[in-house]
Amino acid sequence: MKFHRILVSREALKLENVLQAGQAFRWIWDEKNDLYMTSILIPGHDKYGIVILRQKRIKKEQDDEYIEFAFKHPTWEYSCVENYLKQYFRLEVDLVAQLENWTLKDPNFLNISSQGIRILSQEPWETLISFICSSNNNISRITKMCHNLSTYYGNKIGKFNDMEFYSFPTSEQLIEKATEQELRDLGFGYRAKYIIETARKMIQDQKRFNVSTDQEVFFHISKNFSYEKIREHLMGYTGVGPKVADCVCLMGLHLDHIVPVDVHVTRFAKRDYNIAATKTELAKIRESYNSLNLPITKKKINPELDFIRRKLTEKWGPFAGWAQGILFSKEVGSTAGATVAGNVKKRKRSLDEVDNVDSSIKMKKSITAPKIEA
DNA sequence: CTTCAACCTGTAAG
DNA sequence: ACTTACAGGTTGA
């Protein structure tokens, strides 16, 4: 297995804080070898492949800082994987410079490190389903759900280190193979219905936009719609409210200025920024969705949270979503009370429990319990 | 239009 | 052992 390097500082990217901290849910951490592994689809190649990443934790003096990647796929060249990873990690965005920029505008950033937290550019369909699963849920279980979707409804990709890898299922595969009851038996709870209905609507959207893949549907709406229209469309799926829609916009459709507002963001927005809307401002927000003719948004939106979203985007600028990622991590870390400064919660998946899935619905423990790193 | 209970499940904490 | 609270929300009344 040959590893290739991509130069990037740990200040700009820390795999441990990006790959398993609530943004992506299908990276597997091999604790023993300190590797991160997943299956990915590179546009232009029809088959999924396996990517392996690693990053040294300690930097020696005057050493270059880099991440390393290896891969397994019939036709990939190292350069196309490198290009893919560069865009997956959005390395064209200078995180250190952005942090400086936020610090200038916002004193709250004064003593904050980036922790190497970046916003990823993920596959939108997978992002949508993952974040539908995220509602009223914890990272450990979301991770488990995403892996189970792949294992039960995706395609077998191949093995690495004795571990079987699967693709993330398309909407078509979900409709073909999964039922609501089966997903419930797999532990999805009330989200089972959301997933089935979303997959069904996605198939309809493919017809409506005259395309044949999930990805093309997202490409279409992202290319032709404004942010408000994109969100309106996303909230047309069952189980998708403003927060999930914004997560898809930010992490799936690279709308970098979008700030998904959840309970943690709401907390620090009020506490640290004193953000509170007046009645007039709330009325104005409602009015804006009326005049733009966005009935679903109007129905699902919470004007108070939408106000917070607007204010934070206004404050932080074009990469506000990235700023949110850093503060969010800090907020969750401190509320969890179990992380040291500079480290986010880390979770692992053990190697031996993943394999060996038979056709019967058994699932449950494919992921080990969350582990907090000291 | 706002408010609020209900919703599945796994796990840590009482 | 047994109970309760909570987790990056959304829905429907």
Side-chain angles (χ1 to χ4, degrees):
Chain A
M1 177 79 37
K2 177 166 176 162
F3 277 86
H4 307 265
R5 288 186 179 181
I6 297 177
L7 289 181
V8 55
S9 72
R10 277 181 69 77
E11 176 75 15
L13 168 62
K14 272 190 193 159
L15 295 185
E16 54 203 291
N17 288 353
V18 160
L19 261 22
Q20 292 192 315
Q23 235 189 115
F25 300 95
R26 244 158 36 73
W27 284 92
I28 296 164
W29 183 43
D30 171 356
E31 185 177 21
K32 206 171 122 202
N33 304 305
D34 200 8
L35 299 176
Y36 295 91
M37 310 167 286
T38 197
S39 70
I40 60 164
L41 182 64
I42 297 185
H45 300 255
D46 55 339
K47 281 183 161 50
Y48 267 75
I50 302 168
V51 174
I52 300 102
L53 297 180
R54 70 182 181 198
Q55 181 177 38
K56 287 206 176 74
R57 279 163 197 284
I58 302 152
K59 179 197 166 193
K60 285 183 191 157
E61 296 268 341
Q62 54 184 275
D63 234 13
D64 281 338
E65 291 187 293
Y66 52 84
I67 60 168
E68 292 180 290
F69 69 92
F71 57 91
K72 192 173 169 184
H73 188 277
T75 62
W76 289 350
E77 301 276 339
Y78 96 91
S79 63
C80 85
V81 182
E82 177 178 353
N83 288 335
Y84 174 85
L85 289 172
K86 282 180 175 170
Q87 82 75 38
Y88 180 75
F89 287 113
R90 304 288 309 280
L91 292 188
E92 83 280 9
V93 178
D94 186 341
L95 181 62
V96 177
Q98 284 304 325
L99 184 64
E100 210 163 303
N101 181 29
W102 299 321
T103 307
L104 289 176
K105 298 190 270 196
D106 178 357
N108 272 318
F109 269 94
L110 270 175
N111 293 310
I112 291 183
S113 138
S114 74
Q115 304 181 79
I117 296 171
R118 320 175 59 80
I119 298 298
L120 298 170
S121 167
Q122 306 198 75
E123 209 288 304
W125 167 247
E126 179 172 343
T127 309
L128 177 63
I129 297 298
S130 303
F131 280 92
I132 285 176
C133 292
S134 79
S135 83
N136 200 15
N137 206 350
N138 57 66
I139 295 183
S140 162
R141 181 149 79 115
I142 303 165
T143 304
K144 194 191 292 180
M145 288 170 168
C146 291
H147 280 291
N148 275 301
L149 285 177
S150 298
T151 310
Y152 285 97
Y153 308 113
N155 301 320
K156 246 184 203 186
I157 303 306
K159 279 192 170 187
F160 176 73
N161 276 5
D162 286 330
M163 181 152 40
E164 198 70 64
F165 283 82
Y166 299 82
S167 63
F168 193 81
T170 63
S171 59
E172 194 180 345
Q173 286 179 309
L174 286 175
I175 289 309
E176 289 282 312
K177 302 193 205 169
T179 62
E180 183 184 332
Q181 188 53 53
E182 195 175 56
L183 288 176
R184 274 185 175 269
D185 294 342
L186 278 172
F188 283 80
Y190 60 82
R191 302 165 196 84
K193 180 177 153 194
Y194 298 166
I195 291 171
I196 296 295
E197 289 187 3
T198 295
R200 202 167 280 149
K201 181 172 182 329
M202 179 54 67
I203 302 281
Q204 289 172 5
D205 287 340
Q206 289 180 12
K207 288 176 186 151
R208 183 174 143 205
F209 298 130
N210 196 26
V211 296
S212 55
T213 66
D214 301 326
Q215 208 157 27
E216 287 171 299
V217 169
F218 284 101
F219 183 74
H220 183 272
I221 62 168
S222 139
K223 190 181 166 197
N224 298 304
F225 293 4
S226 65
Y227 162 65
E228 284 78 11
K229 289 276 185 193
I230 292 173
R231 205 173 44 160
E232 172 80 1
H233 181 85
L234 292 176
M235 283 195 257
Y237 299 106
T238 320
V240 179
K243 193 272 176 179
V244 170
D246 281 340
C247 283
V248 176
C249 287
L250 176 63
M251 300 165 210
L253 304 176
H254 50 263
L255 295 182
D256 299 305
H257 63 293
I258 298 304
V259 177
V261 177
D262 61 32
V263 51
H264 299 290
V265 172
T266 305
R267 189 186 315 114
F268 72 62
K270 291 178 177 169
R271 184 193 61 213
D272 301 336
Y273 295 93
N274 220 0
I275 297 178
T278 64
K279 297 210 160 156
T280 326
E281 286 166 323
L282 293 179
K284 213 168 147 190
I285 286 177
R286 261 182 245 111
E287 178 51 35
S288 75
Y289 293 119
N290 270 336
S291 59
L292 288 169
N293 187 28
L294 301 167
I296 302 173
T297 309
K298 187 188 158 194
K299 190 171 123 196
K300 293 194 175 184
I301 208 77
N302 177 329
E304 195 193 337
L305 301 185
D306 204 54
F307 182 77
I308 293 175
R309 179 185 67 74
R310 293 175 187 219
K311 278 295 170 196
L312 291 178
T313 287
E314 217 172 276
K315 177 171 283 294
W316 295 327
F319 290 88
W322 293 53
Q324 170 274 156
I326 292 169
L327 293 188
F328 171 82
S329 150
K330 188 169 180 284
E331 183 72 17
V332 174
S334 59
T335 55
T339 54
V340 212
N343 253 342
V344 224
K345 276 196 208 172
K346 167 183 269 283
R347 292 154 219 267
K348 68 162 181 173
R349 185 175 197 227
S350 74
L351 295 172
D352 43 356
E353 297 170 51
V354 184
D355 219 347
N356 197 19
V357 176
D358 60 36
S359 55
S360 70
I361 302 301
K362 53 171 194 191
M363 122 109 171
K364 306 298 178 189
K365 322 269 186 200
S366 52
I367 312 282
T368 58
K371 180 189 169 187
I372 313 292
E373 284 252 320

Coordinates of all heavy atoms in Angstrom, one line a residue, chain A residues 136 141 184 187 189-191 286 298 364-365, chain B residues 1-3 6-13:
Chain A
N136 N -32.7 14.9 16.7 CA -32.9 14.4 18.1 C -32.1 13.2 18.3 O -32.7 12.2 18.8 CB -34.4 14.2 18.3 CG -34.8 14.2 19.7 OD1 -34.1 14.6 20.6 ND2 -36.0 13.7 20.0
R141 N -25.1 7.1 17.3 CA -26.1 6.4 16.6 C -26.3 6.8 15.2 O -26.6 6.0 14.3 CB -27.5 6.6 17.4 CG -28.6 5.8 16.7 CD -29.7 5.3 17.7 NE -30.6 6.3 18.0 CZ -31.9 6.3 17.7 NH1 -32.4 5.3 17.0 NH2 -32.7 7.2 18.1
R184 N -37.2 0.4 10.6 CA -37.5 0.5 12.0 C -36.9 -0.7 12.8 O -36.3 -0.5 13.8 CB -39.1 0.4 12.2 CG -39.7 1.8 12.1 CD -41.2 1.8 12.4 NE -41.7 3.2 12.4 CZ -41.7 3.9 13.5 NH1 -41.3 3.5 14.7 NH2 -42.2 5.2 13.4
G187 N -33.5 -0.1 13.7 CA -33.2 0.9 14.7 C -33.3 2.3 14.3 O -32.9 3.2 15.0
G189 N -36.0 4.1 14.1 CA -37.1 4.8 14.8 C -38.0 5.5 13.9 O -38.2 5.1 12.7
Y190 N -38.5 6.7 14.3 CA -39.4 7.4 13.5 C -38.8 8.0 12.2 O -39.5 8.4 11.3 CB -40.1 8.6 14.3 CG -39.1 9.6 14.8 CD1 -38.6 10.6 14.0 CD2 -38.6 9.5 16.1 CE1 -37.7 11.5 14.5 CE2 -37.7 10.4 16.6 CZ -37.3 11.5 15.8 OH -36.4 12.4 16.2
R191 N -37.5 7.9 12.1 CA -36.8 8.4 10.9 C -37.0 7.5 9.7 O -36.7 7.9 8.6 CB -35.3 8.7 11.2 CG -35.1 9.6 12.4 CD -33.7 9.6 12.9 NE -33.6 10.2 14.2 CZ -33.9 9.6 15.3 NH1 -34.3 8.3 15.3 NH2 -33.8 10.2 16.5
R286 N -41.1 36.8 8.3 CA -42.3 36.1 7.8 C -42.7 36.7 6.5 O -43.0 36.0 5.5 CB -43.4 36.2 8.8 CG -43.5 35.0 9.7 CD -44.7 35.1 10.6 NE -44.2 35.2 12.0 CZ -44.3 36.2 12.8 NH1 -44.8 37.4 12.4 NH2 -43.9 36.1 14.0
K298 N -42.3 28.8 4.6 CA -43.1 29.6 5.5 C -43.7 28.7 6.6 O -43.8 29.1 7.8 CB -44.2 30.3 4.7 CG -45.1 31.2 5.5 CD -46.3 31.7 4.6 CE -47.4 32.2 5.5 NZ -48.6 32.3 4.8
K364 N -28.0 -3.7 15.2 CA -27.7 -3.2 16.5 C -26.2 -2.9 16.6 O -25.7 -2.0 15.9 CB -28.1 -4.1 17.6 CG -29.6 -4.4 17.5 CD -30.5 -3.2 17.7 CE -31.9 -3.6 17.6 NZ -32.8 -2.5 17.5
K365 N -25.4 -3.6 17.3 CA -24.0 -3.2 17.6 C -23.0 -3.3 16.5 O -22.1 -4.1 16.6 CB -23.6 -4.0 18.8 CG -24.6 -4.3 19.8 CD -24.7 -3.3 20.9 CE -25.6 -3.7 21.9 NZ -26.2 -2.8 22.8
Chain B
dC1 P -49.4 33.8 8.9 OP1 -48.9 35.1 8.6 OP2 -49.3 32.7 8.0 O5' -49.0 33.3 10.4 C5' -48.3 34.3 11.1 C4' -48.4 34.1 12.6 O4' -49.7 33.5 12.9 C3' -47.3 33.2 13.1 O3' -46.6 33.8 14.1 C2' -48.0 31.9 13.5 C1' -49.4 32.4 13.9 N1 -50.3 31.3 13.6 C2 -50.9 30.7 14.8 O2 -50.7 31.2 15.9 N3 -51.6 29.6 14.6 C4 -51.8 29.0 13.4 N4 -52.5 27.9 13.2 C5 -51.2 29.6 12.2 C6 -50.4 30.7 12.4
dT2 P -45.2 33.2 14.6 OP1 -44.3 34.3 14.9 OP2 -44.8 32.1 13.7 O5' -45.6 32.6 16.0 C5' -46.2 33.4 17.0 C4' -46.6 32.6 18.2 O4' -47.6 31.7 17.9 C3' -45.4 31.8 18.9 O3' -45.5 32.0 20.3 C2' -45.7 30.4 18.5 C1' -47.3 30.4 18.3 N1 -47.8 29.4 17.3 C2 -48.7 28.5 17.7 O2 -49.1 28.4 18.8 N3 -49.1 27.7 16.6 C4 -48.7 27.7 15.3 O4 -49.2 26.9 14.5 C5 -47.7 28.7 15.0 C7 -47.2 28.9 13.6 C6 -47.3 29.5 16.0
dT3 P -44.3 31.5 21.2 OP1 -44.2 32.5 22.3 OP2 -43.2 31.2 20.4 O5' -45.0 30.2 21.8 C5' -46.3 30.2 22.2 C4' -46.8 28.8 22.6 O4' -47.2 28.1 21.5 C3' -45.6 28.0 23.3 O3' -46.2 27.4 24.5 C2' -45.3 27.0 22.2 C1' -46.6 26.8 21.5 N1 -46.5 26.3 20.1 C2 -47.4 25.4 19.7 O2 -48.3 24.9 20.4 N3 -47.3 25.1 18.3 C4 -46.4 25.6 17.4 O4 -46.4 25.2 16.2 C5 -45.5 26.6 17.9 C7 -44.5 27.2 17.0 C6 -45.6 26.9 19.2
dA6 P -47.3 13.9 25.4 OP1 -48.6 13.2 25.7 OP2 -46.2 13.9 26.4 O5' -46.8 13.3 24.0 C5' -47.6 13.4 22.9 C4' -46.9 12.9 21.7 O4' -46.0 13.9 21.1 C3' -46.1 11.6 22.0 O3' -46.4 10.6 21.0 C2' -44.6 12.1 21.9 C1' -44.8 13.3 20.9 N9 -43.7 14.3 21.0 C8 -43.2 14.8 22.2 N7 -42.3 15.7 22.0 C5 -42.2 15.8 20.6 C6 -41.4 16.7 19.7 N6 -40.6 17.5 20.2 N1 -41.6 16.5 18.4 C2 -42.5 15.6 18.0 N3 -43.3 14.8 18.7 C4 -43.1 15.0 20.0
dC7 P -45.8 9.2 21.1 OP1 -46.9 8.3 20.6 OP2 -45.2 9.0 22.4 O5' -44.6 9.2 20.0 C5' -44.9 9.8 18.7 C4' -43.6 9.9 17.9 O4' -42.9 11.1 18.3 C3' -42.6 8.7 18.2 O3' -42.2 8.2 16.9 C2' -41.5 9.3 18.9 C1' -41.5 10.8 18.4 N1 -40.9 11.8 19.2 C2 -40.2 12.9 18.6 O2 -40.2 12.9 17.4 N3 -39.6 13.8 19.4 C4 -39.7 13.7 20.7 N4 -39.1 14.6 21.4 C5 -40.3 12.6 21.3 C6 -40.9 11.7 20.6
dC8 P -42.6 6.8 16.4 OP1 -42.9 7.0 15.0 OP2 -43.6 6.3 17.4 O5' -41.3 6.0 16.5 C5' -40.8 5.4 17.7 C4' -39.4 5.0 17.5 O4' -38.6 6.2 17.5 C3' -38.8 4.0 18.5 O3' -38.1 3.0 17.7 C2' -37.9 4.8 19.3 C1' -37.4 5.9 18.3 N1 -37.0 7.2 18.9 C2 -35.8 7.7 18.4 O2 -35.1 7.1 17.6 N3 -35.3 8.9 19.0 C4 -36.0 9.5 19.9 N4 -35.6 10.6 20.4 C5 -37.3 8.9 20.4 C6 -37.7 7.8 19.9
dT9 P -37.5 1.8 18.4 OP1 -37.3 0.8 17.3 OP2 -38.3 1.4 19.5 O5' -36.1 2.3 18.9 C5' -35.1 2.6 17.9 C4' -33.8 3.0 18.7 O4' -33.9 4.3 19.3 C3' -33.4 2.0 19.8 O3' -32.1 1.6 19.5 C2' -33.5 2.8 21.0 C1' -33.3 4.2 20.5 N1 -33.9 5.4 21.3 C2 -33.2 6.5 21.5 O2 -32.0 6.6 21.1 N3 -33.8 7.5 22.1 C4 -35.1 7.5 22.6 O4 -35.5 8.5 23.2 C5 -35.8 6.3 22.4 C7 -37.2 6.2 22.9 C6 -35.2 5.3 21.7
dG10 P -31.4 0.4 20.2 OP1 -31.0 -0.4 19.1 OP2 -32.2 -0.1 21.3 O5' -30.1 1.1 20.8 C5' -29.3 1.9 20.0 C4' -28.3 2.7 20.8 O4' -29.0 3.7 21.5 C3' -27.6 1.8 21.9 O3' -26.3 2.2 22.0 C2' -28.4 2.2 23.2 C1' -28.8 3.6 22.9 N9 -30.1 4.1 23.5 C8 -31.3 3.4 23.6 N7 -32.2 4.1 24.2 C5 -31.7 5.3 24.4 C6 -32.2 6.5 24.9 O6 -33.4 6.7 25.3 N1 -31.3 7.6 24.9 C2 -30.0 7.5 24.5 N2 -29.3 8.6 24.6 N3 -29.5 6.4 24.0 C4 -30.4 5.3 23.9
dT11 P -25.3 1.5 22.9 OP1 -24.1 1.4 22.1 OP2 -25.9 0.4 23.5 O5' -25.0 2.6 24.0 C5' -24.7 4.0 23.6 C4' -24.8 4.9 24.8 O4' -26.1 5.2 25.1 C3' -24.1 4.2 26.1 O3' -23.3 5.2 26.7 C2' -25.3 4.0 27.0 C1' -26.3 5.1 26.5 N1 -27.7 4.9 26.8 C2 -28.4 6.0 27.3 O2 -27.9 7.1 27.4 N3 -29.7 5.7 27.5 C4 -30.4 4.5 27.4 O4 -31.6 4.4 27.7 C5 -29.6 3.4 26.9 C7 -30.2 2.0 26.8 C6 -28.3 3.7 26.7
dA12 P -22.2 4.7 27.7 OP1 -20.9 4.4 26.9 OP2 -22.7 3.7 28.6 O5' -21.9 6.1 28.5 C5' -22.2 7.3 27.9 C4' -22.8 8.3 28.9 O4' -24.2 7.9 29.1 C3' -22.2 8.2 30.3 O3' -22.1 9.5 30.8 C2' -23.2 7.3 31.1 C1' -24.5 7.7 30.5 N9 -25.5 6.6 30.5 C8 -25.4 5.3 30.2 N7 -26.5 4.6 30.3 C5 -27.4 5.5 30.7 C6 -28.8 5.4 30.9 N6 -29.5 4.3 30.8 N1 -29.5 6.5 31.3 C2 -28.8 7.7 31.3 N3 -27.5 7.9 31.1 C4 -26.9 6.8 30.8
dA13 P -21.3 9.8 32.2 OP1 -20.6 11.1 31.9 OP2 -20.6 8.6 32.6 O5' -22.5 10.1 33.2 C5' -23.4 11.1 32.9 C4' -24.6 11.0 33.9 O4' -25.4 9.8 33.6 C3' -24.3 10.9 35.4 O3' -25.1 11.8 36.1 C2' -24.6 9.5 35.7 C1' -25.8 9.2 34.8 N9 -26.0 7.8 34.5 C8 -25.1 6.8 34.2 N7 -25.6 5.6 34.0 C5 -27.0 5.8 34.2 C6 -28.1 4.9 34.2 N6 -28.0 3.6 33.9 N1 -29.3 5.5 34.5 C2 -29.4 6.8 34.7 N3 -28.4 7.7 34.8 C4 -27.2 7.1 34.5

